[in-house]
Each structure stands twice: as C-alpha cells, then as structure tokens.
Amino acid sequence: MGPGVQGSERSAVTIGVFDGVHRGHQQVVERAVAAARERGLRSVAVVFEPHPAEVVRLGSHPVRLTTPRRRSELLAGLGVGEVCVEEFTLELSRMSPGEFAQSILADRLRAAVVVVGANFTFGHRAAGTTETLVALGEKYDFAVEVVPLLDGVSSTEIRGRLTAGDVEGATAALGRPHRVEGVVVRGYQRGRQLGFPTANVETPPHTAIPADGVYAGWLECVPVANLPALYAGERWPAAISVGTNPTFEGVPRTVEAYALDRDDLELYGVHVAVDFAARLRGNTRFDSIEELIAQIHTDVDQARRLTSG
C-alpha cells in the first residue's frame, strides 16, 4: 500500500473494489467522509488492483466500468482525503479475516471507524462478513458502520445493462453517463471520407463497452501524463458508433465518436473519454453508401437533440 496510509493519525476507512463508483458506492464513501469530518479523522478509501477475481480465479476478470485513474478521480471528487491502492496478491487473498483486520485496518491504517456496504466480505474465501467485522472492530478498537444497499444498483447489474445496450439504465445506477476512455488511433478513415470524421478510440483491456449500436453522448479530451494535451478539457456533443460496421466487410469491433459539426479536430494520439447518453439504434447493413450517409444524418440530428443543453 502507498506510503500515504501510514502514520500516527487515525482514520475513517472505506474499502473495496469500487468499480464504477456507482450510487451505492457513493453512499458508502460519502458516509466515510462524513464520519471522518464528525470525528476529526483523515478519510481513506482503499481500493484493490488488480481485480480480486483475476487473482483468485485467473482469467475471470470482469469488464471494468472505470479505469483505475478515473476511479481515483471519482473517489477524490466525493471528498476522500486519500485514495490508496492495495495490490491484491495471492498472499493477501489468503489472509484470514482476523489477520486482515489486524494487519491492514488496525496496524497499517490505524482505523478508528470502518464504513462498508451491507454485502462487504473479506479474508480468505470471503469468510469475513459485516458481522465478523463488527466483532473484530471490538477487538482492535475500531467502530464499524454498515450502509444498506441500493436496490438494483451493483457493478454486476450495470455491466448487464451495458451488455444489453441500456446506457440510460446504466446512467441511472451510476449517477452519471457511463464512460469509455482510450487513445485515439488511426482507423480506416471511412467516416472522414463520408463527411463525418470520427475519433477511433483504442480502449484498455477489460473495458465495459456497451452493446453494438449507435449512441448519442459526448466526446471529451482528458489530459494524462506522457500524451499530447491538445484540446485539454474540451467536450463536444457526439454521435457514437460501437461495433463492426456491417456495411464494410472485415472491420474489427471499434468505438468511434464523431464530435458534432466538427471536421477540424486532429485527435490522433490524444487521450479521450466517450460518455454514453442514449442508444439511437442497433447496427444495420445498408445496400448503398447513399443510404448509409442518409442514416448518419438522421443519427447526427437525433444526437444533437438529445445532447442539447
């Protein structure tokens, strides 16, 4: 764990994977921040990297709703003083609940209060429950607060909505539009040839990409280290295409975003974020380029209406 977590000052701790930082996570984190403020403590969110499932069951890594950088950004935005990334290893996975509570919560974090969701488990084979945590808190001198779950709001549920193309449902559960990030790379440039130049986004492995189709949303330039900072912080309404293009053979699955009415952007090598607001339609094969262009005009008009204001 990072050096920032050790020290004499006691802390209010929340701990978990927090993939998506959805509305349920937000309730837990906000309660931990409030507890820190009430008790005069530092607030700490401990997150695991890589995903515990990938370590315990190799090859079972679920798709990610947020990149690690975005997750930390969202947690900090909720008022967390320190976001500490704990490397999830086989050794850590084999700790008993008691060892975890003593070594990490009591000794390393100096927890005075631990805030978790009602479904929190910890220790070897997830043997520790919230009841276990309460008992260990009495032993190691930290209070425990358990925050009730929100019905229908979980990372698994949100992944399912995205798989179905239900980005509106994902937005409701996340409290913001679902975001996909990556670097803009050169594609086939067919959009440019048709008069609608798109940013072809190369996403990291395990990214939760919505179902194939056409969407309305936004394209934003997000500055990150060691990449060009062109258009830093700029954000444009966009029409977004996900999947292979059925009109052209042999095209791999892609995420492409057209910033509405902008044909002057040079985004190659720039890190961007694509936010999904609404699904317009599924992917369709067109018999002619003219039919395709006519449909793109319709898509763009719909995207403009949905993202206005």
Side-chain angles (χ1 to χ4, degrees):
M1 190 176 293
V5 295
Q6 300 193 40
S8 58
E9 186 182 352
R10 299 198 71 184
S11 60
V13 176
T14 186
I15 187 166
V17 177
F18 293 126
D19 185 28
V21 194
H22 56 59
R23 288 173 51 234
H25 294 148
Q26 291 165 32
Q27 283 197 160
V28 175
V29 173
E30 286 168 351
R31 180 56 211 146
V33 170
R37 185 171 57 250
E38 292 162 5
R39 299 169 182 241
L41 307 169
R42 60 191 178 128
S43 59
V44 180
V46 179
V47 296
F48 296 114
E49 194 64 35
H51 195 289
E54 179 66 10
V55 175
V56 176
R57 296 180 299 278
L58 191 63
S60 65
H61 198 306
V63 293
R64 301 192 73 136
L65 300 173
T66 46
T67 64
R69 183 201 61 79
R70 175 68 166 161
R71 176 180 58 186
S72 294
E73 177 183 84
L74 291 168
L75 290 171
L78 293 172
V80 171
E82 299 175 54
V83 178
C84 301
V85 180
E86 173 78 4
E87 182 183 4
F88 197 88
T89 62
L90 278 174
E91 181 183 14
L92 179 62
S93 75
R94 291 167 180 159
M95 277 188 176
S96 70
E99 290 171 329
F100 183 91
Q102 180 181 19
S103 173
I104 293 179
L105 297 177
D107 294 347
R108 195 181 302 181
L109 295 173
R110 302 207 68 246
V113 58
V114 178
V115 181
V116 295
N119 61 345
F120 179 74
T121 59
F122 65 108
H124 187 50
R125 298 186 183 278
T129 64
T130 54
E131 290 81 5
T132 313
L133 188 63
V134 170
L136 290 167
E138 293 174 356
K139 180 176 181 179
Y140 293 112
D141 189 31
F142 57 80
V144 174
E145 293 190 26
V146 180
V147 178
L149 302 180
L150 285 178
D151 288 342
V153 178
S154 71
S155 298
T156 300
E157 173 75 17
I158 294 167
R159 292 185 192 105
R161 290 184 181 277
L162 294 172
T163 298
D166 181 13
V167 295
E168 293 95 334
T171 294
L174 288 166
R176 64 183 185 281
H178 175 61
R179 170 170 288 193
V180 166
E181 296 188 40
V183 176
V184 178
V185 297
R186 291 189 182 274
Y188 292 91
Q189 298 190 315
R190 291 199 174 102
R192 183 175 296 277
Q193 294 164 12
L194 298 174
F196 301 93
T198 59
N200 187 354
V201 184
E202 186 173 70
T203 57
H206 309 301
T207 295
I209 298 174
D212 290 3
V214 178
Y215 298 83
W218 294 270
L219 175 66
E220 180 177 342
C221 292
V222 180
V224 297
N226 303 320
L227 285 174
L230 294 173
Y231 313 106
E234 291 196 48
R235 178 178 172 88
W236 308 281
I240 306 154
S241 174
V242 175
T244 58
N245 190 326
T247 304
F248 300 99
E249 298 294 342
V251 180
R253 192 164 191 256
T254 59
V255 176
E256 298 181 71
Y258 165 60
L260 302 186
D261 308 313
R262 296 297 299 265
D263 59 5
D264 59 331
L265 302 176
E266 294 294 339
L267 295 173
Y268 295 124
V270 175
H271 188 93
V272 299
V274 177
D275 289 340
F276 291 82
R279 192 169 196 254
L280 305 180
R281 61 178 176 86
N283 283 349
T284 305
R285 181 181 179 89
F286 295 92
D287 294 330
S288 70
I289 298 300
E290 289 74 21
E291 287 183 33
L292 172 60
I293 292 174
Q295 182 61 58
I296 293 174
H297 278 289
T298 299
D299 296 336
V300 166
D301 288 343
Q302 281 189 277
R304 185 178 292 107
R305 286 196 299 272
L306 287 167
T307 57
S308 62

